[in-house]
Amino acid sequence: MTVQRILIVSGTHGNEINPVWAVKKFNREENSLNHGIEYEYIIGNPVAYEKGYRYIDLDLNRSFKEIKNHDQDNNSVYEINRANFLVDQFGIHGSKPCQIAIDLHTTTANMGTSIVLYGRRYKDFCLAALLQNKFGLPIYLHEKDKAQTGFLVESWPCGLVIEIGAVAQNFYDLKIIDRFSLIISSLREEIDKLKNNLIELPKELVVHVHQGSIDYPRDEKGDIDGLIHPERINQDWKMIKKGDPLFLDSQGIIHKYERDQMIWPVFIGEVAYKEKKIAMSYTKKEVICSKKQWIQEFESF
Ligand SMILES: [Zn+2]
């Protein structure tokens, strides 16, 4: 295994403050050098974090697609500059190259502790399978959504997002902080085992594959005219079938799910996704059989 340096990013969204605290605490207690692997702990969006904002000009976690365009138009956009800086510094060809990036986020939705993957990369599958095996974590596999691209971890050859909720933006919650600390130390243990060829993969990986998103009901002016239905709120990962309630509008009308295909919702009512016109995203379940190749890929980067 050729992993030498791992990037742990918190505060990619400046108002998600619990992972920043967890990392600060963790970094003080644990040596940054661990069994020959060096850990870099950084704040993704330090200016937004100082102000308590999600971002300054653009969502940093959608800004990594612009990286090849070092054109002048983008120079004034803080997050695009920041994304370029992070890749120049810590990218696989950067001055302090990191082979793996772990990006820590919180959500206002009742998701519990989960893993988000972008696309079907074997190295990501391997890390996700090890964590799923250890903690039974649900995995949201995000792919083929043209409206949502430019995620941070996609700019590294291996990387995943840890997403924990529910917690409000800019609100410290010790339970959430402790969960991040546990996940970071477990990841370090698993990567250490990988390096020493002590890993046995579980037989399979269960993923929830992104299918699309559902907007709130809206009035003629385009304003939101409907709340997440009381039977739906906080029910992330729980299956929805035809006829189940989704929203309750201002006239008391229930908006139901009308299609035949069963779906599993995530990010129900996520506050930050209102601007993206997403009331919830939905997935389908898929079981993927493990391959030895998932581990073998760690031998070369
Ligand atoms: Zn976030």
Side-chain angles (χ1 to χ4, degrees):
M1 176 169 163
T2 56
V3 175
Q4 284 152 351
R5 198 178 285 117
I6 294 175
L7 182 66
I8 310 264
V9 190
S10 60
T12 297
H13 293 133
N15 55 8
E16 295 172 8
I17 59 176
N18 290 283
V20 179
W21 185 271
V23 162
K24 209 186 280 178
K25 194 166 147 247
F26 193 85
N27 205 7
R28 203 174 293 142
E29 288 164 5
E30 304 276 332
N31 195 330
S32 73
L33 195 68
N34 189 42
H35 300 277
I37 297 175
E38 200 181 326
Y39 284 80
E40 286 285 343
Y41 295 97
I42 57 145
I43 295 183
N45 195 331
V47 177
Y49 170 68
E50 265 169 44
K51 291 178 187 281
Y53 297 164
R54 182 172 169 87
Y55 55 79
I56 302 298
D57 296 318
L58 279 180
D59 188 335
L60 178 63
N61 203 27
R62 304 291 184 277
S63 296
F64 283 77
K65 58 193 158 189
E66 310 286 352
I67 252 142
K68 288 168 203 110
N69 310 329
H70 281 266
D71 61 49
Q72 291 194 329
D73 290 351
N74 289 334
N75 281 351
S76 60
V77 179
Y78 172 70
E79 276 78 10
I80 291 181
N81 285 327
R82 183 69 185 161
N84 286 332
F85 167 79
L86 292 173
V87 171
D88 288 345
Q89 191 84 8
F90 302 108
I92 192 75
H93 302 300
S95 46
K96 279 183 135 186
C98 296
Q99 290 78 33
I100 301 175
I102 307 295
D103 192 15
L104 309 174
H105 289 255
T106 60
T107 170
T108 63
N110 189 32
M111 302 265 286
T113 302
S114 65
I115 300 167
V116 188
L117 299 180
Y118 300 92
R120 295 177 182 247
R121 304 189 298 187
Y122 283 0
K123 295 186 191 86
D124 300 354
F125 278 175
C126 181
L127 288 186
L130 295 173
L131 284 181
Q132 183 169 72
N133 192 37
K134 198 160 184 177
F135 298 109
L137 304 182
I139 295 169
Y140 176 34
L141 173 58
H142 203 276
E143 62 179 3
K144 293 176 193 152
D145 185 344
K146 291 200 180 97
Q148 305 281 331
T149 57
F151 298 97
L152 183 148
V153 297
E154 291 180 297
S155 287
W156 275 263
C158 172
L160 34 97
V161 161
I162 306 297
E163 183 85 61
I164 304 184
V167 64
Q169 297 170 343
N170 290 315
F171 177 79
Y172 284 116
D173 182 332
L174 194 57
K175 288 197 300 291
I176 301 277
I177 291 168
D178 286 346
R179 281 198 245 163
F180 275 110
S181 302
L182 179 65
I183 295 288
I184 299 168
S185 58
S186 299
L187 254 172
R188 285 172 53 137
E189 274 170 38
E190 296 301 318
I191 291 169
D192 189 41
K193 280 192 224 158
L194 257 174
K195 190 166 177 158
N196 293 300
N197 293 320
L198 297 171
I199 281 296
E200 215 172 300
L201 272 181
K203 281 202 180 70
E204 57 190 33
L205 177 69
V206 180
V207 294
H208 286 80
V209 186
H210 176 80
Q211 302 295 296
S213 299
I214 300 172
D215 188 14
Y216 292 89
R218 291 180 184 269
D219 63 18
E220 320 78 57
K221 287 189 205 146
D223 295 332
I224 288 177
D225 182 27
L227 308 175
I228 310 274
H229 192 277
E231 281 178 35
R232 188 64 42 220
I233 196 77
N234 296 330
Q235 302 300 308
D236 299 78
W237 307 110
K238 298 206 179 125
M239 192 255 284
I240 299 175
K241 59 181 189 319
K242 191 176 182 175
D244 284 347
L246 295 179
F247 303 101
L248 187 60
D249 72 20
S250 58
Q251 296 175 65
I253 296 168
I254 297 171
H255 296 236
K256 292 180 180 169
Y257 177 66
E258 302 287 3
R259 283 185 284 157
D260 291 323
Q261 189 201 11
M262 289 184 292
I263 54 171
W264 285 260
V266 289
F267 290 108
I268 297 175
E270 164 61 52
V271 171
Y273 290 171
K274 261 193 201 156
E275 65 177 27
K276 299 181 198 293
K277 297 195 168 170
I278 295 173
M280 67 188 79
S281 291
Y282 58 95
T283 66
K284 68 171 185 197
K285 248 187 191 178
E286 184 182 328
V287 178
I288 301 171
C289 291
S290 311
K291 289 184 184 151
K292 277 199 187 120
Q293 222 182 324
W294 295 4
I295 295 181
Q296 287 161 358
E297 281 218 356
F298 277 94
E299 287 158 19
S300 61
F301 271 91

